[in-house]
Amino acid sequence: MRGRRGDRMTINIQEHMAINVCPGPIRPIRQISDYFPRRGPGPEGGGGGGGEAPTHLAPLALAPPAALLGANTPEDGAEVDGYDSDDGTALGTLEFDLLYDRASCTLHCSILRAKGLKPMDFNGLADPYVKLHLLPGACKANKLKTKTQRNTLNPVWNEDLTYSGITDEDITHKVLRIAVCDEDKLSHNEFIGEIRVPLRRLKPCQKKHFNICLERQVPLASPSSMSAALRGISCYLKELEQAEQGPGLLEERGRILLSLSYNSRRRGLLVGILRCAHLAAMDVNGYSDPYVKTYLRPDVDKKSKHKTCVKKKTLNPEFNEEFFYEIELSTLATKTLEVTVWDYDIGKSNDFIGGVSLGPGARGEARKHWSDCLQQPDAALERWHTLTSELPPAAGALSLA
């Protein structure tokens, strides 16, 4: 049917252009000739020379959206889900060595190099450094860190980082977290990738070499962005995790090296405060001003207190001081030695860092150290002990002392 001259023909633009306008990713548009029969130049195509128009053309039928977008496109779902294929390959690899020295109770971590790190800066490079944490435990108390290598995706560190006070018990249940980060002077440092190594994979006095791909850290939602229900679930899961790890789980605040010896000639206990390692930072500068106090409980006369000097601005102080308690061996078996570490503050109450109790009521290494001292008079026994966040009842009232 022909319209009159001057009248406009209303044609659907979708039908005219033969395109799909449904929302979704942008795809190549089919040409309009794809919707008409193709007639070749040969005799079968009718393109020989007559050029007659075909007697019948099927009406234009638009393909369904699935056909236009492609029916077999398994990669489409990945794009919708926001999957980044680079996550598993472009974070880079880290090469390092680990050595557990049982004799000196040390864990030596040699950070060698990284390769193919993910670019983090606008120049396509990064300023990477490596930081170590022992888990579970207080992250700030046992963090070690390498130097920063500037403008490189293949940094070489060759640095040795050492954890002191590592015992066989730590080797069986602790995990070493090795994280690679990008240092940014104008904003927060950015996380690149991490590796977690169970220390039980190590054999004493045997260096083990690792060359492992970095993995992505799964960030947790901040409490402010979580709903009340999610916060409740988060607290429940945290309590459940602590219950599974052990009923008396306490926060670790560092390590202390103690020496115990009962002197049979002087008839007394000689307590040596040798050093501390990886103490928790209590001051705003990231350090502490630690000192150590000892008590022999029960202390009826309140004369058993001894105190070391204060070491300024350090998390790994060396004291090398000895205290003597005059007491019979039979009476000593009923006593408990309380050792607490404090952060000295001027003009206000000193901050409690951590403590440990050695005696018949102690557990684990603390009880064994105490019993060995009683059974081996005149022998100086040095052992590392873990400082926990548990404050002895009598020590709280003496924090100003």
Side-chain angles (χ1 to χ4, degrees):
M1 176 180 178
R2 293 182 59 185
R4 292 180 298 178
R5 182 175 297 181
D7 291 348
R8 273 189 173 181
M9 299 283 294
T10 57
I11 302 175
N12 190 321
I13 188 63
Q14 184 176 5
E15 181 179 347
H16 179 69
M17 299 297 297
I19 64 172
N20 182 270
V21 295
C22 66
I26 298 177
R27 299 295 179 185
I29 301 174
R30 289 192 174 191
Q31 298 180 0
I32 194 169
S33 59
D34 293 341
Y35 297 93
F36 293 91
R38 296 178 182 270
R39 308 189 66 85
E44 295 181 0
E52 277 188 21
T55 57
H56 175 71
L57 282 178
L60 179 64
L62 290 176
L68 291 176
L69 292 175
N72 300 322
T73 55
E75 71 278 4
D76 293 351
E79 291 180 2
V80 173
D81 294 339
Y83 174 78
D84 187 359
S85 61
D86 291 339
D87 286 355
T89 57
L91 297 181
T93 61
L94 183 65
E95 191 173 352
F96 58 97
D97 294 331
L98 297 179
L99 172 63
Y100 168 53
D101 190 346
R102 176 181 286 172
S104 60
C105 296
T106 54
L107 176 64
H108 300 277
C109 310
S110 300
I111 307 300
L112 303 179
R113 63 185 63 86
K115 292 183 179 179
L117 294 181
K118 183 177 181 180
M120 304 298 292
D121 298 336
F122 290 110
N123 58 3
L125 301 173
D127 302 320
Y129 67 92
V130 178
K131 60 180 180 180
L132 311 180
H133 294 98
L134 274 178
L135 306 175
C139 291
K140 292 184 179 180
N142 56 40
K143 183 180 74 173
L144 299 179
K145 180 181 171 183
T146 67
K147 296 179 181 178
T148 301
Q149 302 296 324
R150 301 290 177 185
N151 295 325
T152 178
L153 300 180
N154 301 285
V156 178
W157 289 284
N158 289 327
E159 292 190 37
D160 293 328
L161 305 176
T162 303
Y163 280 103
S164 301
I166 303 299
T167 62
D168 290 341
E169 184 180 357
D170 296 324
I171 294 298
T172 57
H173 75 274
K174 283 192 176 291
V175 174
L176 179 65
R177 177 180 181 261
I178 307 176
V180 181
C181 300
D182 171 62
E183 183 179 285
D184 198 333
K185 293 183 177 180
L186 300 180
S187 63
H188 295 291
N189 297 339
E190 295 180 294
F191 175 84
I192 298 178
E194 71 171 23
I195 296 170
R196 300 199 179 197
V197 181
L199 296 186
R200 62 177 177 269
R201 296 177 58 183
L202 304 180
K203 295 182 179 180
C205 301
Q206 293 186 15
K207 180 182 292 187
K208 189 173 181 63
H209 183 75
F210 296 86
N211 190 2
I212 309 178
C213 292
L214 297 174
E215 298 177 353
R216 174 177 290 277
Q217 180 188 43
V218 180
L220 298 176
S222 60
S224 59
S225 63
M226 298 168 62
S227 64
L230 289 178
R231 283 197 295 271
I233 294 175
S234 177
C235 294
Y236 168 76
L237 293 176
K238 186 178 296 184
E239 292 178 359
L240 181 63
E241 180 181 2
Q242 293 178 354
E244 292 177 350
Q245 292 178 352
L249 188 65
L250 296 172
E251 181 186 359
E252 294 184 8
R253 296 292 186 87
R255 304 295 175 92
I256 186 168
L257 181 60
L258 300 176
S259 173
L260 297 182
S261 175
Y262 184 82
N263 193 314
S264 58
R265 183 179 59 85
R266 299 175 59 187
R267 296 184 180 276
L269 176 66
L270 188 62
V271 180
I273 309 298
L274 303 182
R275 57 178 297 201
C276 294
H278 317 301
L279 295 179
M282 307 302 291
D283 298 335
V284 293
N285 58 6
Y287 294 96
S288 294
D289 301 322
Y291 67 94
V292 180
K293 293 192 297 186
T294 64
Y295 291 89
L296 197 59
R297 309 285 188 188
D299 185 15
V300 180
D301 299 331
K302 299 183 179 180
K303 296 181 179 180
S304 69
K305 186 185 78 170
H306 290 285
K307 185 171 66 172
T308 68
C309 62
V310 177
K311 299 295 182 178
K312 294 289 186 179
K313 199 177 179 181
T314 178
L315 301 179
N316 300 279
E318 293 190 9
F319 298 100
N320 294 318
E321 298 187 31
E322 291 183 343
F323 307 127
F324 183 76
Y325 292 98
E326 185 176 352
I327 188 173
E328 294 292 335
L329 183 61
S330 58
T331 308
L332 183 62
T334 63
K335 297 286 187 176
T336 297
L337 178 67
E338 290 183 357
V339 181
T340 55
V341 183
W342 299 81
D343 171 55
Y344 177 75
D345 288 322
I346 300 177
K348 60 179 181 178
S349 299
N350 298 328
D351 297 321
F352 174 72
I353 297 179
V356 61
S357 297
L358 296 86
R363 297 180 179 178
E365 189 65 27
R367 182 169 184 171
K368 188 176 186 302
H369 194 186
W370 186 256
S371 61
D372 290 346
C373 174
L374 299 178
Q375 296 172 6
Q376 304 175 34
D378 300 316
L381 305 175
E382 295 183 3
R383 305 280 173 83
W384 282 95
H385 297 279
T386 300
L387 300 171
T388 64
S389 56
E390 184 178 21
L391 180 66
L398 300 171
S399 60
L400 287 172

